[in-house]
Amino acid sequence: MTYLEGYSIVDGSVVDADGHIQDAMIIRVTPCKTADGKTFQAYKLAQKNGKLIDARFRKDCENVPTFPDAKGDYILVLGDVKPSVDKNNLYPKAYIKFVVGVIPMTQGFRTDITLI
């Protein structure tokens, strides 16, 4: 997986090379295995209150990041397109349509500015 170049975290926000603040979210990646032995990755997004909700990438999502055997938290840079949240089920799910890229998680990222 390649990380975004030219992006940095300034005052708790993700900033591109031109100095523009970008929308970003924290995504948690967890590798899983089915009973058949097939492997896949489960994604969770952090909400403003710190709770995690399930996340899915839509089929028409551009630039879907790959996390080969990676486990942990990352910063997902979204650009101008926010994910849609389906609250019709018992547990809500976020559907991500567009991703600019991924930045490794650092301590300086503010979680209250992100998210849904």
Side-chain angles (χ1 to χ4, degrees):
M1 172 178 53
T2 59
Y3 296 116
L4 282 177
E5 298 293 329
Y7 284 76
S8 60
I9 299 183
V10 177
D11 294 331
S13 301
V14 176
V15 179
D16 63 7
D18 296 332
H20 299 103
I21 295 176
Q22 299 290 317
D23 287 335
M25 304 179 88
I26 298 173
I27 188 167
R28 176 169 289 168
V29 180
T30 308
C32 301
K33 186 180 270 191
T34 64
D36 299 340
K38 297 179 182 177
T39 60
F40 66 97
Q41 293 176 340
Y43 305 104
K44 301 262 185 193
L45 289 180
Q47 293 180 310
K48 288 181 183 178
N49 58 6
K51 292 184 180 180
L52 298 175
I53 63 170
D54 290 335
R56 306 277 190 271
F57 291 97
R58 292 177 37 162
K59 282 187 177 183
D60 60 344
C61 180
E62 299 176 20
N63 220 8
V64 176
T66 58
F67 305 93
D69 299 329
K71 179 181 179 182
D73 296 339
Y74 299 91
I75 299 171
L76 199 64
V77 180
L78 299 173
D80 296 333
V81 182
K82 296 236 184 223
S84 59
V85 178
D86 178 17
K87 295 182 181 179
N88 292 331
N89 298 317
L90 180 61
Y91 299 107
K93 293 179 186 140
Y95 291 95
I96 302 168
K97 183 175 182 176
F98 182 78
V99 175
V100 175
V102 176
I103 301 174
M105 186 68 176
T106 61
Q107 296 296 337
F109 186 66
R110 250 187 6 204
T111 58
D112 61 338
I113 57 153
T114 56
L115 322 186
I116 308 166

